[in-house]
């Protein structure tokens, strides 16, 4: 049989994956399911693109990294905008099916956690929320022990003459990214003297700002929909989410801005 639009995209399977649980049916549950599934697809693509960026950094492929950061930051902007759609869900409408979610929560999104780990925000305690026997758990542990995008960024900077301190080079990769003054000083020099690199650094900052925006929009979404209720995942809800609100992915890029 000839390949068609539907068979290539496996649409029969894809469109069979939305299974609202409310009985009698609650109209808005379909939106809730589809928007989360759409986000999971974006997470999948982000993971794919950042794996490429790691290789671009290792191989000193500046234009490859620029092209792909342009893509990831554009996807991130779309992810932020999609919050508008979820905000058409009113608190009362959400309460009408919230019980059906039981303990399920974005908290358990393994791909989101993989993205955090891949970018360098490693929080081992988050492994507690994933079932240890699941394949997803294995994936997350692997990400935990792999070098992050920031670790590979150090490789790239080194190839452009930046001194990366030895303790940073040999650091335990299961720990989160930490700001470093020597790296920041090297970045400042490149920013001022290498216009091609400035383009890359600005795109990285765009992505970073976009991710923080997503966290902010998600918190406001949570606040307006459930207020101070605890999350279905068992956290304190808004209070828990605020802890990572202004967390940068590339702290050294933010540290030098007043000197530019
Ligand atoms: C009515 C809409 C939503 C509500 C009320 C809500 C609520 C919450 C709450 C309370 C948490 C904290 C963990 C917990 O105890 O459950 C959380 C975490 C999370 N949610 Fe949502 N959420 C909503 C929509 C979304 C959407 C559309 C996404 C997109 C994927 C999402 C992704 C996440 C992620 C990834 C986390 C973990 C964040 C982190 O660990 O920093 N949520 N959500």
């Amino acid at each position: 049989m000839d390949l068609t639009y539907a068979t290539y995209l496996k649409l029969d399977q894809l469109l069979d994956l939305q299974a609202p649980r409310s009985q009698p049916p609650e109209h808005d549950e379909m939106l809730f399911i589809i928007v989360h599934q759409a986000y999971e697809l974006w997470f999948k693509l982000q993971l794919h693109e950042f794996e490429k960026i790691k290789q671009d950094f290792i191989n000193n492929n500046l234009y490859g990294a620029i092209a792909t950061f342009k893509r990831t930051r554009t996807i991130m902007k779309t992810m932020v905008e999609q919050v508008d759609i979820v905000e058409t869900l009113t608190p009362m409408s959400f309460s009408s099916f919230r019980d059906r979610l039981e303990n399920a929560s974005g908290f358990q999104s393994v791909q989101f956690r993989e993205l955090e780990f891949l970018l360098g925000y490693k929080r081992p305690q988050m492994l507690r929320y994933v079932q240890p026997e699941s394949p997803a758990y294995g994936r997350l542990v692997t990400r935990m022990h792999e070098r992050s995008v920031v670790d590979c960024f150090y490789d790239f900077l080194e190839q452009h003459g930046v001194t990366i301190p030895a303790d940073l080079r040999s650091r335990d990769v299961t720990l989160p990214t930490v700001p470093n003054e020597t790296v920041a000083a090297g970045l400042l020099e490149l920013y001022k003297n290498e216009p091609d690199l400035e383009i890359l650094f600005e795109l990285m900052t765009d992505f970073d700002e976009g991710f923080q925006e997503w966290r902010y929009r998600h918190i406001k979404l949570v606040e307006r929909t459930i207020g101070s209720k605890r999350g279905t995942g068992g956290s304190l809800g808004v209070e828990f989410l605020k802890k990572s609100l202004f967390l940068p992915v590339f702290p050294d890029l933010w540290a030098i801005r007043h000197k530019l």
Side-chain angles (χ1 to χ4, degrees), residues 32 35-40 43 79 82-83 86 89-90 94 97-98 101 103-109 112-113 116 121 123 126 214-215 218 221-223 225-226 229-238 240-241 244:
F32 192 78
V35 89
H36 279 85
Q37 289 184 340
Y39 269 112
E40 288 295 331
F43 293 155
M79 287 167 61
Q82 277 180 201
V83 173
V86 195
L89 193 68
T90 66
F94 183 51
F97 62 86
R98 191 176 188 231
L101 306 179
N103 294 324
S105 158
F107 221 23
Q108 298 155 339
S109 167
F112 180 80
R113 216 55 78 197
E116 283 190 339
Y121 184 30
R123 294 192 273 178
M126 301 318 288
W214 184 84
R215 289 191 195 275
H218 174 256
L221 157 71
V222 174
E223 214 171 3
T225 314
I226 62 166
K229 287 183 198 165
R230 291 181 81 95
T232 45
S235 84
L236 287 177
V238 171
F240 160 78
L241 295 168
S244 41

Side-chain angles (χ1 to χ4, degrees), residues 30-233:
M30 186 62 94
L31 160 77
F32 192 78
I33 292 173
I34 288 181
V35 89
H36 279 85
Q37 289 184 340
Y39 269 112
E40 288 295 331
L41 289 174
W42 289 129
F43 293 155
K44 184 170 182 173
L45 186 59
Q46 294 280 32
L47 291 168
H48 183 68
E49 300 297 346
F50 275 107
E51 280 301 337
K52 171 180 176 296
I53 285 174
K54 273 173 71 170
Q55 291 312 313
D56 287 341
F57 279 158
I58 292 169
N59 299 324
N60 193 18
N61 181 355
L62 171 64
Y63 298 116
I66 286 179
T68 310
F69 257 106
K70 197 167 173 190
R71 182 173 298 166
T72 61
R73 79 104 188 323
T74 310
I75 299 168
M76 187 47 84
K77 280 179 193 289
T78 294
M79 287 167 61
V80 171
E81 274 184 6
Q82 277 180 201
V83 173
D84 288 345
I85 305 174
V86 195
E87 284 183 344
T88 64
L89 193 68
T90 66
M92 273 157 67
S93 147
F94 183 51
S95 321
S96 69
F97 62 86
R98 191 176 188 231
D99 288 352
R100 307 290 170 288
L101 306 179
E102 298 177 10
N103 294 324
S105 158
F107 221 23
Q108 298 155 339
S109 167
V110 173
Q111 290 203 109
F112 180 80
R113 216 55 78 197
E114 279 187 80
L115 187 60
E116 283 190 339
F117 285 9
L118 177 59
L119 292 170
Y121 184 30
K122 299 196 172 163
R123 294 192 273 178
Q125 67 274 25
M126 301 318 288
L127 282 164
R128 266 190 274 140
Y129 302 96
V130 184
Q131 291 177 337
E133 63 282 1
S134 64
Y137 186 87
R139 277 198 336 257
L140 204 48
V141 172
T142 305
R143 295 264 185 216
M144 181 86 191
H145 290 89
E146 276 173 1
R147 297 168 75 232
S148 68
V149 170
V150 174
D151 292 317
C152 297
F153 184 46
Y154 297 149
D155 291 5
F156 176 81
L157 291 177
E158 211 161 39
Q159 296 176 76
H160 289 268
V162 175
T163 306
I164 308 295
D167 55 339
L168 202 55
R169 269 261 153 253
S170 58
R171 73 183 204 97
D172 177 354
V173 297
T174 66
L175 297 175
T177 303
V178 284
N180 185 281
E181 282 180 12
T182 312
V183 175
L187 276 173
L188 186 60
E189 280 309 302
L190 293 178
Y191 238 114
K192 286 181 173 167
N193 300 313
E194 304 279 348
D196 289 9
L197 294 183
E198 185 191 16
I199 294 173
L200 172 68
F201 298 156
E202 285 297 295
L203 287 168
M204 292 171 73
T205 311
D206 281 351
F207 173 82
D208 201 335
E209 189 177 343
F211 201 4
Q212 292 176 54
E213 260 181 278
W214 184 84
R215 289 191 195 275
Y216 171 78
R217 290 296 311 273
H218 174 256
I219 289 181
K220 284 291 150 191
L221 157 71
V222 174
E223 214 171 3
R224 68 184 278 167
T225 314
I226 62 166
S228 57
K229 287 183 198 165
R230 291 181 81 95
T232 45

